[in-house]
């Protein structure tokens, strides 16, 4: 995902258990929205995060929350 996404985008992590029901298709890992308008830009499949989730879904919950859900 990189480090600069927060400059333009709002991310909904679909690998966090509280957001799984928002998945539009199997394998989608994140919803990317325009930070200013809230409009959907695209769905992402971040393979590293998906593989981590498949290997240990419980373990990646804290990472998803800290990285994408915490308000600064």
């Amino acid at each position: 995902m990189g480090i600069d996404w927060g400059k333009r985008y709002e991310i909904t992590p679909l690998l966090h258990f509280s957001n799984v029901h928002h998945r539009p298709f199997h394998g989608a890992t994140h919803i990317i929205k325009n930070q200013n308008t809230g409009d959907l830009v695209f769905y992402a499949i971040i393979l590293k995060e998906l593989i981590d989730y498949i290997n240990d879904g419980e373990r990646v919950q804290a990472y998803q929350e800290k990285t994408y859900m915490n308000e600064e």
Side-chain angles (χ1 to χ4, degrees):
M1 187 70 78
I3 58 172
D4 292 331
W5 60 265
K7 294 178 182 177
R8 294 182 55 187
Y9 303 107
E10 178 183 309
I11 307 293
T12 302
L14 300 175
L15 299 177
H16 192 273
F17 292 152
S18 67
N19 294 327
V20 171
H21 64 283
H22 293 295
R23 253 188 202 171
F25 55 88
H26 186 71
T29 61
H30 299 79
I31 297 173
I32 314 299
K33 294 182 180 178
N34 181 298
Q35 189 176 49
N36 296 320
T37 66
D39 292 339
L40 174 68
V41 178
F42 59 91
Y43 295 100
I45 300 173
I46 308 301
L47 291 178
K48 181 194 181 320
E49 293 185 26
L50 180 58
I51 290 168
D52 290 345
Y53 178 81
I54 290 169
N55 287 328
D56 189 352
E58 290 288 338
R59 186 180 57 79
V60 300
Q61 297 307 297
Y63 174 80
Q64 295 294 312
E65 188 168 334
K66 177 181 162 222
T67 304
Y68 304 113
M69 298 171 76
N70 284 347
E71 299 294 322
E72 313 245 352

